[in-house]
């Protein structure tokens, strides 16, 4: 009977950690769905609130900007003060911000609530995989990361469809508001259960906060993005040009400060020494430009289908299903089968496939005009989805493959942040590449053709961005190799955000993201 004594507590402990996993996975799913669900409801929001196109851009860009600005700091706060504590603060704040979004009385309140929601997500999201690292032993993490990848894919596929259904059903006459209010019961349950089942953990050597770095990054992006989104509407005033030029000076000041911070206490927001690694510098450039392309495409695609072609939310939402499925399938195949054999060529093939899909889409939009059907869009969307899947799954591993192990966490957090910044910048550029191609004061009969034409012009921009990405990818490592043992097991290192892009912002648009799993192939020269 003696063996029963020490084994008695194992079952409850095992149950607790799997309950904790379910809670953090649900939070990650909620964040992902919230990102993908909003785009499909944008035309409904515009009709109901009278929001301007500028407000529409900030409903999406504000979330991305706040998330990007707080992501690394959120991870470090979890390291210092406890990941469970920051997760609960984040999910509680995210739930409150969702309520404010759902009950927003005007576009300005909705934009402010979305910025708050992005900030709260930046506290919640980095803790998800840090909690997994602290809760599960290394030999179980492969299974957990596989489950996490499935959740990410499910969130990307179900978000647009769920948003379409909730908006189309017009529950209780609330129009678009249920897309935010649905977070309330989920968030409250996560808050209550998280207090009970998640175990607290902290990093043994947490770095100090770099709030000045966060302030400079946010200020620089605002000085660049605000004139981009308002410039066309205001006739491109002088102050806008001054602000955009001034943003470059702010970014130069950021670099100088980060160098000083690295020398003074070795805890900069951005580890500038990482940029001496050619593959990392190239990968950051790819992530930034990829984010710009995605930010442009997904917003103008929604506007094209619903406001240009006059499609319902449900029709637009279901049109994107083949794309999301193609991304998820191709992502799994690329990591498991293709990258180990062909290395960097897989990512470059993905960029070329995405360009091919865009060119097909441009041709179809021109040929069929206002009479285009959803099934006719399936081919270019599947080609684009396969191409995106080939890129997003192995990209982070490729970027990190030559980064020193002690900087793995910092590098991963920077990758996530840069992609979000790219997305915010892409959303800001929509004012130039899409709305700039639509004439002012259009008659009702001219709106559709104008949106179709602007959509085609925007896709040319995205194709150009992808061509740049293809060329920059030549600087990525060429051949696959196994990860250095332990490189992925210190996920809480530096900033606690290792793998946080799985809830990833790639996932928000693409249906997948890096999970930080240590058994997948990396790339090497």
């Amino acid at each position: 009977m003696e063996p029963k004594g020490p084994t008695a507590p194992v079952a409850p402990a095992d149950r607790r950690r799997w309950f904790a996993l379910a809670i953090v996975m649900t939070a990650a799913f909620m964040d992902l769905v919230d990102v993908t669900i909003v785009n499909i409801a944008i035309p409904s929001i515009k009709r109901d609130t009278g929001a301007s196109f500028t407000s529409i851009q900030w409903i999406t860009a504000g979330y991305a900007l706040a998330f990007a600005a707080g992501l690394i700091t959120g991870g470090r706060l979890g390291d210092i003060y406890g990941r469970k504590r920051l997760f609960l603060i984040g999910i509680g704040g995210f739930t409150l911000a969702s309520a404010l979004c759902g009950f927003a009385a005007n576009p300005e309140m909705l934009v402010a609530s979305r910025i708050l929601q992005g900030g709260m997500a930046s506290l919640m999201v980095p803790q998800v995989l840090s909690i997994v690292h602290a809760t599960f032993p290394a030999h179980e993490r492969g299974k957990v990361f596989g489950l996490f990848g499935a959740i990410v894919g499910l969130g990307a596929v179900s978000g647009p469809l769920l948003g379409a259904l909730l908006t189309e059903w017009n529950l209780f006459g609330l129009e678009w508001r249920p897309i935010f209010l649905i977070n309330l019961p989920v968030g409250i349950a996560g808050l209550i259960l998280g207090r009970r089942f998640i175990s607290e953990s902290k990093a043994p050597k947490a770095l100090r906060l770099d709030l000045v770095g966060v302030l400079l990054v946010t200020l620089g992006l605002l000085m660049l993005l605000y004139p981009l989104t308002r410039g066309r509407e205001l006739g491109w005033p002088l102050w806008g040009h001054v602000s955009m030029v001034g943003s470059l000076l702010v970014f130069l000041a950021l670099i100088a400060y980060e160098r000083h911070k690295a020398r003074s206490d070795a805890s900069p927001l951005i580890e500038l020494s990482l940029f001496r690694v050619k593959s990392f510098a190239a990968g950051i450039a790819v992530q930034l430009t990829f984010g710009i392309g995605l930010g442009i495409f997904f917003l103008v695609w929604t506007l094209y289908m619903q406001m240009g072609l006059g499609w319902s939310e449900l029709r637009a939402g279901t049109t994107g299903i083949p794309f999301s499925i193609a991304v998820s399938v191709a992502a799994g195949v690329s990591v498991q089968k293709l990258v180990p054999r062909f290395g960097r060529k897989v990512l470059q093939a993905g960029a070329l496939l995405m360009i091919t899909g865009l060119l097909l889409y441009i041709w179809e939009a021109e040929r069929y005009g206002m009479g285009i059907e959803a099934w006719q869009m399936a081919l270019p969307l599947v080609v684009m989805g396969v191409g995106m899947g080939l890129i997003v799954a192995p990209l982070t591993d490729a970027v990190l493959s030559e980064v020193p192990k002690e900087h793995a966490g910092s590098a991963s957090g920077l990758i996530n942040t840069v992609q979000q910044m790219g997305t915010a910048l892409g959303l800001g550029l929509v004012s130039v590449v899409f709305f700039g191609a639509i004439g002012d004061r259009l008659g009702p009969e001219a709106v559709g053709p104008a949106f179709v034409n602007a959509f085609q012009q925007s896709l040319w921009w995205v194709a150009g961005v992808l061509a740049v990405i293809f060329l920059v990818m030549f600087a990525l490592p060429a051949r696959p190799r196994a990860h250095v043992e332990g490189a992925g097991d210190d996920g809480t290192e530096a900033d606690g955000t290792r793998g946080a892009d799985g809830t990833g912002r790639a996932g928000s648009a693409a249906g997948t993201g890096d999970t930080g799993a240590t058994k997948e192939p990396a790339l090497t020269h």
Side-chain angles (χ1 to χ4, degrees), residues 381-518:
L381 287 174
V382 167
V383 173
M384 284 182 63
V386 170
M388 188 175 292
L390 295 181
I391 295 173
V392 293
L395 179 57
T396 300
D397 278 346
V399 179
L400 291 174
S401 63
E402 295 180 336
V403 169
K405 191 178 92 170
E406 64 270 19
H407 293 312
S410 178
S412 182
L414 185 56
I415 290 168
N416 307 332
T417 300
V418 163
Q419 186 172 3
Q420 278 306 288
M421 289 177 180
T423 300
L425 183 56
L427 290 165
L429 283 170
V430 167
S431 179
V432 178
V433 304
F434 184 75
F435 296 129
I438 298 174
D440 295 326
R441 298 182 181 85
L442 293 174
E445 70 288 344
V447 171
F451 272 65
V452 171
N453 178 63
F455 176 66
Q456 293 176 65
Q457 291 195 36
S458 299
L459 293 197
W460 281 112
W461 279 82
V462 179
V465 167
L466 286 164
V468 172
I469 288 172
F470 172 81
L471 295 175
V472 176
M473 281 179 176
F474 279 105
L476 292 177
R479 297 292 177 208
R481 66 171 172 84
H483 272 300
V484 177
E485 187 63 30
D489 286 341
D490 56 353
T492 59
E493 199 171 347
D495 60 8
T497 59
R498 175 72 173 98
D501 56 319
T503 49
R505 313 316 314 184
S508 69
T512 188
D514 175 44
T515 59
T518 62

Side-chain angles (χ1 to χ4, degrees), residues 201-248:
S201 63
K202 299 179 182 179
K205 296 179 181 179
L207 297 179
R208 297 178 184 177
L209 294 178
D210 182 6
L211 294 179
V212 174
V214 173
L215 178 64
L216 288 173
V217 166
T218 307
L219 178 62
L221 283 171
L222 281 173
M223 289 174 66
L224 180 62
L225 287 175
Y226 189 75
L228 276 177
T229 53
R230 297 292 315 275
R232 186 191 67 86
E233 181 184 345
L234 299 175
W236 297 107
L238 177 62
W239 66 260
H241 294 89
V242 171
S243 178
M244 287 188 280
V245 172
S247 70
L248 299 178

Side-chain angles (χ1 to χ4, degrees), residues 24-25 27-28 87 124-133 148 496 503:
V24 296
M25 290 296 188
F87 176 81
M124 175 178 71
V125 168
Q127 318 311 326
V128 172
L129 289 187
S130 295
I131 289 171
V132 170
H133 275 285
F148 184 77
T503 49

Side-chain angles (χ1 to χ4, degrees), residues 54-76:
T54 298
S55 296
I56 290 299
Q57 286 177 268
W58 276 101
I59 288 169
T60 49
Y63 184 99
L65 178 60
F67 185 90
L71 185 59
I72 293 178
T73 299
R76 290 187 181 173

Side-chain angles (χ1 to χ4, degrees), residues 181-196:
L181 299 179
I182 195 174
N183 290 336
L184 270 59
V186 179
I188 292 170
L191 192 60
I192 294 170
L193 296 175
R195 286 175 59 89
R196 179 176 178 184

Side-chain angles (χ1 to χ4, degrees), residues 72-103:
I72 293 178
T73 299
R76 290 187 181 173
L77 285 170
D79 286 350
I80 296 170
Y81 297 109
R83 291 150 193 151
K84 173 182 176 179
R85 177 183 297 179
L86 264 293
F87 176 81
L88 294 177
I89 292 172
I91 195 172
F94 189 88
T95 304
L96 174 61
S98 297
L100 292 174
C101 289
F103 294 115

Side-chain angles (χ1 to χ4, degrees), residues 271-295:
E271 185 60 58
L272 295 176
S273 64
L274 291 170
F275 289 91
R276 298 191 193 114
V277 180
K278 184 179 75 168
S279 60
F280 180 81
I284 285 292
V286 170
Q287 289 280 16
L288 179 67
T289 50
F290 198 51
I292 291 172
L294 297 183

